[in-house]
Amino acid sequence: GESVGLHLPTLSVQEGDNSIINCAYSNSASDYFIWYKQESGKGPQFIIDIRSNMDKRQGQRVTVLLNKTVKHLSLQIAATQPGDSAVYFCAEITQAAGNKLTFGGGTRVLVKP
Amino acid sequence: DSGVTQTPKHLITATGQRVTLRCSPRSGDLSVYWYQQSLDQGLQFLIQYYNGEERAKGNILERFSAQQFPDLHSELNLSSLELGDSALYFCASSVSWQETQYFGPGTRLLVL
């Protein structure tokens, strides 16, 4: 499994700036990708998802980009707010692998006022 | 609030003991998933149930077992507990396998 906790990469962002969080995945057969946000002491919260037949999807203040060629996923948060401070996980589902959700290691986002 | 409930919120027990964690999925969701989150292993998928049947298995130890009942709530049983089992245990639910999973608030287990 991936390592989290003390060794989480951290992204420091000024309030109002845009944030970009990156995620590399290894399984080219993955069908479905999800970004989750986890605040301290809480469960992961769904942000946005994208299926493997798409390369971009937009939500409210968030955009997910999928580059299957290099197996890379990114989450862009526009006009980052203090409430966006959390750990962000990308996750993938591969039907051939029994439909289990595999999480990446996570990135901690700290928003500076 | 995701609509997924988990009890208890916190659990403190001793090594060798057995505990049961409970999860109620969102209304209408047939799939339930269990995850373990520890500092050194991140979020690890344990097991999935769909409409009462086991569908997928992840890194679940033999000392752990789960079931999903006819009313769709699920229980995760952890036995012969070891110090290393201390972690956050999350339950998630979804309508079906490729739909978004919604997570509960978790149960924090501390084994002393």
Side-chain angles (χ1 to χ4, degrees):
Chain A
E2 300 286 338
S3 294
V4 216
L6 295 176
H7 303 291
L8 273 180
T10 299
L11 175 68
S12 281
V13 146
Q14 200 67 41
E15 182 179 354
D17 287 352
N18 297 335
S19 304
I20 299 177
I21 307 163
N22 297 303
C23 177
Y25 64 94
S26 55
N27 190 348
S28 57
S30 292
D31 306 287
Y32 179 51
F33 303 87
I34 310 169
W35 279 101
Y36 283 94
K37 171 187 179 183
Q38 188 175 21
E39 296 174 275
S40 182
K42 297 184 178 180
Q45 176 189 356
F46 170 83
I47 302 174
I48 193 167
D49 59 0
I50 188 167
R51 299 197 185 271
S52 59
N53 61 353
M54 303 169 68
D55 52 24
K56 181 178 179 179
R57 189 157 189 225
Q58 286 185 291
Q60 189 177 15
R61 281 202 308 121
V62 293
T63 301
V64 56
L65 298 176
L66 175 62
N67 185 331
K68 292 183 287 293
T69 303
V70 295
K71 290 185 278 190
H72 183 267
L73 193 66
S74 69
L75 177 70
Q76 300 177 5
I77 305 173
T80 313
Q81 302 169 359
D84 295 327
S85 292
V87 176
Y88 291 80
F89 293 96
C90 65
E92 57 182 304
I93 293 181
T94 306
Q95 185 177 6
N99 307 331
K100 64 179 183 179
L101 192 64
T102 302
F103 281 85
T107 298
R108 189 183 306 277
V109 172
L110 291 175
V111 182
K112 297 177 287 186
Chain B
D1 184 0
S2 66
V4 178
T5 59
Q6 288 186 249
T7 56
K9 271 191 171 178
H10 303 277
L11 200 47
I12 303 174
T13 188
T15 54
Q17 295 299 304
R18 182 179 190 272
V19 297
T20 298
L21 312 183
R22 184 189 166 103
C23 168
S24 292
R26 294 187 322 154
S27 177
D29 285 357
L30 299 178
S31 268
V32 169
Y33 311 77
W34 286 98
Y35 293 86
Q36 180 192 57
Q37 186 176 38
S38 56
L39 275 178
D40 60 348
Q41 288 291 314
L43 265 163
Q44 298 286 316
F45 168 72
L46 296 178
I47 197 164
Q48 177 202 357
Y49 281 83
Y50 179 80
N51 205 20
E53 292 188 5
E54 183 184 305
R55 271 302 177 92
K57 231 171 182 176
N59 304 320
I60 188 166
L61 299 171
E62 284 193 15
R63 299 183 286 109
F64 297 179
S65 65
Q67 53 184 325
Q68 186 180 27
F69 295 87
D71 67 353
L72 302 177
H73 91 271
S74 178
E75 292 181 356
L76 178 67
N77 301 296
L78 314 176
S79 60
S80 302
L81 284 167
E82 302 174 358
L83 296 177
D85 297 327
S86 296
L88 269 168
Y89 291 84
F90 289 105
C91 167
S93 74
S94 67
V95 173
S96 66
W97 74 269
Q98 211 177 25
E99 298 298 324
T100 302
Q101 293 181 26
Y102 292 89
F103 283 75
T107 293
R108 185 176 293 278
L109 174 66
L110 181 59
V111 182
L112 300 175

